[in-house]
Amino acid sequence: MGFISVEQTDRLYWLGRYTERVYTTMRLYFVTYDTMIDQFAKTYKDFCKSLDIPEIYTSPEDFMKRYPFDEEDTNSIISNLKRAYDNAIVLREEIGSESLAYIQLAIYDMQKAAKSNSPMIEFQRVLDNLMAFWGIVDDQIASENVRNILKVGKRVERIDLYGRLHSDYESLSREIYRLAGRVKRCNLKYSQDVLDQLVDLLSEDTLDHHKVVEEIERFLEV
């Protein structure tokens, strides 16, 4: 499996989480952006509520500018993308220069978007670069342990976000079962009880999204 330090393991896990957070929240932002343009001005408040982030924005226009680009806002897209980069650059030897380059390209495209009057093209490039990052992870990272830790982070983040967004049963069940299969193949320390609880929630008549979020937040607390 190859030795990976505790610090490297933690950074790989959070690199997986932050890249997924940027990808999913940016896609959600697309929908919110279009809705607000169509005159549903309070949609950004629903956005903040669904993701459980502070509603610090003063208007739809303020949200549309600050949520993607404000580096002082710890919940912004660019803040999460830079956290991904901070982890990736330390992990250059584990993930390779090409993987790191796609995170860098995503940041460059966010910076271009911040200067654009029509940023959606650059936003799409950010998503494309993140997808390319995951393609390189699969294709060029030799260590199965490294790949698995990254993907566990990705799945944990996706389950957390899908729970908050009240996603459909099929989407959540797919991610929970993927996590269950993946986490057993790497050296992460996790709570089997939490994993069992998540699987059990899938058998209930009504999926408790709040409980899903509650449980996944305890996944690595052992």
Side-chain angles (χ1 to χ4, degrees), residues 5-58:
S5 70
V6 173
E7 180 182 358
Q8 289 169 316
T9 297
D10 185 66
R11 287 188 176 277
L12 286 165
Y13 172 77
W14 281 103
L15 174 57
R17 289 201 65 164
Y18 284 130
T19 51
E20 177 59 28
R21 187 175 303 175
V22 171
Y23 183 82
T24 297
T25 55
M26 181 168 278
R27 290 183 64 190
L28 182 60
Y29 175 82
F30 283 2
V31 176
T32 306
Y33 185 95
D34 288 341
T35 305
M36 286 192 296
I37 287 176
D38 291 333
Q39 306 305 314
F40 293 97
K42 293 185 178 180
T43 304
Y44 77 93
K45 296 184 178 183
D46 296 332
F47 181 98
C48 294
K49 183 177 180 180
S50 66
L51 292 180
D52 194 25
I53 62 176
E55 189 189 313
I56 62 174
Y57 312 103
T58 58

Side-chain angles (χ1 to χ4, degrees), residues 45-103:
K45 296 184 178 183
D46 296 332
F47 181 98
C48 294
K49 183 177 180 180
S50 66
L51 292 180
D52 194 25
I53 62 176
E55 189 189 313
I56 62 174
Y57 312 103
T58 58
S59 67
E61 292 76 20
D62 186 48
F63 169 81
M64 290 163 72
K65 189 67 176 177
R66 289 177 60 196
Y67 180 72
F69 305 122
D70 185 359
E71 295 185 24
E72 300 302 315
D73 178 1
T74 58
N75 294 296
S76 70
I77 292 172
I78 188 63
S79 291
N80 284 305
L81 185 55
K82 288 201 166 184
R83 290 189 193 102
Y85 176 77
D86 289 343
N87 283 289
I89 198 166
V90 176
L91 294 165
R92 184 192 294 267
E93 291 189 10
E94 286 74 27
I95 67 173
S97 296
E98 193 168 355
S99 297
L100 172 62
Y102 280 110
I103 303 295

